[in-house]
Amino acid sequence: MISRITGKIRKRVDISVLLDVNGICYEIFVPPAVLKALNDKAEEGSIIEFVTYHYFQADPSRSIPMLIGFSNEVEREFFEQFISVSGIGPKAACKALILPFSMIAEAIDKGDIGILKTLPGVGEQRARQIVAKLQNKVGKFGLIQDRPAGCAPLAGRDIKDEALSVLLQLQY
């Protein structure tokens, strides 16, 4: 199993990076939130290290090895929790993680379906499944220091938004 990989960035494409490791290029899928955080370091020609999640995408006639890259082990651990939800595979999860992991973890812990529905590929039903499976299990990931400077935590929301959220949860 490949758990870390270090190399020179050859090319960046949507949610993947081609990483040259001593003449061998690996395609590493990277969640958009991680790419945003690494934006300065992830330029072509720069050397970077990823903590990876290694899995095999199994089709009926073949099995393709896939690598998903993260900045650190904590992000990978959150990802592993996220894909434990039924119906969310590694590739779909990689595309869905567009917000900072701490913000997603906080939304899950608070049961905020609205924020989860903004993730690509996550609708109302899937958001409810995520909350049901992971609520009270991902609270520690809310402490990850991955938010941009101007991005306030959910707790700092306007009082009207908070009241509306509570009323909607009570089905009023």
Side-chain angles (χ1 to χ4, degrees):
M1 185 164 111
I2 300 170
S3 62
R4 285 185 182 268
I5 191 164
T6 304
K8 185 186 294 188
I9 296 178
R10 286 287 176 210
K11 187 177 180 184
R12 279 181 62 173
V13 186
D14 295 333
I15 65 163
S16 69
V17 173
L18 284 179
L19 201 64
D20 184 344
V21 181
N22 298 325
I24 299 174
C25 281
Y26 294 92
E27 183 175 19
I28 314 291
F29 290 93
V30 184
V34 175
L35 273 179
K36 285 179 197 169
L38 295 174
N39 211 9
D40 298 337
K41 299 178 200 171
E43 295 177 1
E44 288 185 26
S46 60
I47 295 177
I48 195 162
E49 178 181 52
F50 287 110
V51 173
T52 59
Y53 177 80
H54 187 202
Y55 79 102
F56 287 93
Q57 181 176 341
D59 291 335
S61 62
R62 62 185 174 165
S63 184
I64 303 168
M66 307 283 283
L67 290 173
I68 299 177
F70 303 96
S71 302
N72 54 53
E73 288 86 2
V74 177
E75 290 177 350
R76 180 178 62 193
E77 187 181 343
F78 176 78
F79 178 80
E80 289 170 346
Q81 287 281 329
F82 196 73
I83 63 173
S84 71
V85 176
S86 177
I88 298 180
K91 203 163 184 181
C94 186
K95 290 177 184 176
L97 296 174
I98 60 169
L99 297 174
F101 291 5
S102 60
M103 186 179 282
I104 296 170
E106 193 173 334
I108 292 169
D109 213 35
K110 292 182 186 286
D112 193 337
I113 304 292
I115 288 181
L116 295 175
K117 287 188 339 185
T118 64
L119 303 176
V122 177
E124 178 88 21
Q125 183 64 29
R126 183 80 64 216
R128 290 188 188 282
Q129 285 178 317
I130 292 169
V131 170
K133 172 86 176 180
L134 300 178
Q135 194 169 31
N136 299 325
K137 295 180 183 175
V138 295
K140 69 179 182 179
F141 299 109
L143 301 174
I144 299 173
Q145 300 297 315
D146 62 352
R147 295 180 195 210
C151 189
L154 295 179
R157 294 191 301 183
D158 186 82
I159 191 74
K160 290 179 184 178
D161 290 340
E162 188 70 30
L164 180 61
S165 174
V166 169
L167 289 172
L168 289 173
Q169 287 177 3
L170 295 172
Q171 297 179 350
Y172 283 102

